[in-house]
Amino acid sequence: MISFEDAGIETQGHKFGLPELPIPSTSHMKHRYDPVVQQVTNLLMKDGKLSVAQRNMAMILNHLRTASSPIINPTRPLIPGAPPPSHLPLNPILYLTLAIDSVAPLVRIRSQKGAAGGGVALQIPVPLGLRQRRRQAVLWILDAASKRRNRGSGRGGFAQKVAEELISVVEGNSGVWDRRGGVHKLGVSARSNLLSNNRRR
């Protein structure tokens, strides 16, 4: 690592020492948050109110940190390499990432008109990238959280519902698992449409 002294730059007159070079990527002001936290915060934001979304994100992480350890459902396992359930509340960002990545769909179903001939639409599975998968999973989680019953009043009610839905996802009790399974089932059954679509081209 290069220091300012080695580069011949004097540090006299500075109240605090100059940072060491190269500056790490996490020290950038616009990229100081975890990518998953940043993406979820942007999806939480409404009407451009970023400060409200950041406050809700902080409440969600605090609720995950103070919640008890989840009980994993063996019929709905999490992604490989997941830490033990007792370790999840110690790292709420990992808790959030694990819940999102576990229910993130691998494909989306695109309806292409006229692909089957005669104006009949074909269901064609399209693979998704990492950010696209996470975005779809977060939208499903937010939709399921909005249907939950309020447990109290105040500005932290929505954040609490989202956190409870994330815990429900990790425990395998959320309806988001069924939505993910339905998309994957339809994608597997529509694999043959890829071949018929290529032949017509």
Side-chain angles (χ1 to χ4, degrees):
M1 179 146 325
I2 303 175
S3 62
F4 283 94
E5 287 77 8
D6 297 337
I9 301 175
E10 295 186 5
T11 59
Q12 295 181 359
H14 294 282
K15 185 175 181 180
F16 301 101
L18 295 177
E20 295 183 352
L21 297 178
I23 298 176
S25 59
T26 54
S27 298
H28 196 287
M29 186 190 70
K30 294 185 178 180
H31 305 286
R32 61 188 184 275
Y33 299 118
D34 187 85
V36 177
V37 174
Q38 185 71 34
Q39 187 174 10
V40 175
T41 304
N42 290 337
L43 291 173
L44 286 172
M45 182 170 54
K46 293 181 180 180
D47 302 326
K49 297 179 181 178
L50 180 60
S51 60
V52 177
Q54 289 175 338
R55 183 183 66 208
N56 288 333
M57 189 74 249
M59 291 180 180
I60 291 170
L61 294 177
N62 187 52
H63 188 85
L64 294 177
R65 182 181 61 83
T66 56
S68 59
S69 300
I71 302 174
I72 306 299
N73 188 353
T75 61
R76 287 173 173 174
L78 303 176
I79 57 175
S86 59
H87 293 184
L88 292 178
L90 302 176
N91 191 344
I93 296 180
L94 177 63
Y95 203 156
L96 174 71
T97 306
L98 184 64
I100 293 173
D101 288 345
S102 296
V103 294
L106 298 174
V107 295
R108 69 177 178 91
I109 306 301
R110 178 170 57 89
S111 181
Q112 184 169 345
K113 294 182 179 180
V120 180
L122 268 184
Q123 304 292 330
I124 299 176
V126 180
L128 296 176
L130 179 61
R131 283 185 59 86
Q132 294 174 316
R133 296 178 59 229
R134 287 175 173 171
R135 181 181 185 276
Q136 186 60 59
V138 172
L139 291 178
W140 285 346
I141 291 171
L142 294 179
D143 182 52
S146 63
K147 298 176 182 177
R148 281 180 169 263
R149 183 178 300 176
N150 289 327
R151 291 195 175 185
S153 60
R155 60 186 183 181
F158 179 70
Q160 183 178 2
K161 291 195 295 184
V162 174
E164 290 174 353
E165 187 65 30
L166 289 168
I167 296 173
S168 180
V169 165
V170 174
E171 292 181 343
N173 302 325
S174 176
V176 178
W177 286 97
D178 297 329
R179 298 185 68 170
R180 176 181 182 268
V183 170
H184 284 181
K185 188 175 181 179
L186 185 58
V188 170
S189 63
R191 285 183 302 176
S192 59
N193 295 340
L194 291 171
L195 298 176
S196 63
N197 187 38
N198 292 333
R199 289 196 201 101
R200 292 186 177 274
R201 288 180 182 176

